Amino acid sequence: MVLTFSAILAAMLFLFRPLQRNRFFVLHAVLVIGSAYFVETHFFKVTPFVPKTFLLFLVFQLISINLVTILAYGIDKRAAINGEWRVPEAQLHMLELLGGWCGAFIAQKLFRHKTKKKSFRAVFWLMLFFQIFLIWAILSYLRLL
């Protein structure tokens, strides 16, 4: 399981250059691989590169990316209040695109952050609708709908 998760996350880092500069993605990768290691050593072994492992990766991915997205919004809000160096919007959008849109929505409400900037909100909602369409298309292709 750790091998599969590490391979997927390393491939994402290799294929998507903006992720290489995103420190929150690195934190996310560490959380996913660490949780996979914990589950594999304490609960059960999973064969690498089988459908069950990919589904488990998806669960770990979504939980971790949403927690990291909330953290990123919180850090950006604190930096905005203190007048410090901010988290680039591109990094926040990248976290949303990787599945952290639910965490982003919660963080926007929780921290009252990035709720008034119309261009940011437009990209956020565009990505949300794109992901919903993509999920619908995949489920339709797999004939699960």
Side-chain angles (χ1 to χ4, degrees), residues 56-138:
L56 212 54
F57 171 77
L58 187 60
V59 169
F60 285 10
Q61 155 77 13
L62 290 175
I63 291 170
S64 174
I65 199 70
N66 281 293
L67 291 174
V68 169
T69 302
I70 292 171
L71 178 69
Y73 270 80
I75 289 172
D76 190 45
K77 177 65 174 189
R78 179 159 298 239
I81 291 171
N82 296 335
E84 297 171 352
W85 189 262
R86 306 275 304 272
V87 177
E89 287 184 0
Q91 288 188 7
L92 294 175
H93 286 312
M94 184 59 72
L95 294 171
E96 297 162 5
L97 186 63
L98 293 173
W101 58 266
C102 184
F105 185 76
I106 291 169
Q108 287 172 5
K109 300 298 180 193
L110 182 67
F111 301 123
R112 294 185 181 148
H113 188 54
K114 298 288 187 187
T115 57
K116 293 184 180 175
K117 189 172 182 183
K118 292 184 189 219
S119 62
F120 186 87
R121 300 285 295 161
V123 173
F124 171 77
W125 286 108
L126 184 67
M127 274 199 271
L128 175 61
F129 290 126
F130 172 72
Q131 286 185 5
I132 290 171
F133 173 75
L134 188 64
I135 290 169
W136 174 81
I138 290 170

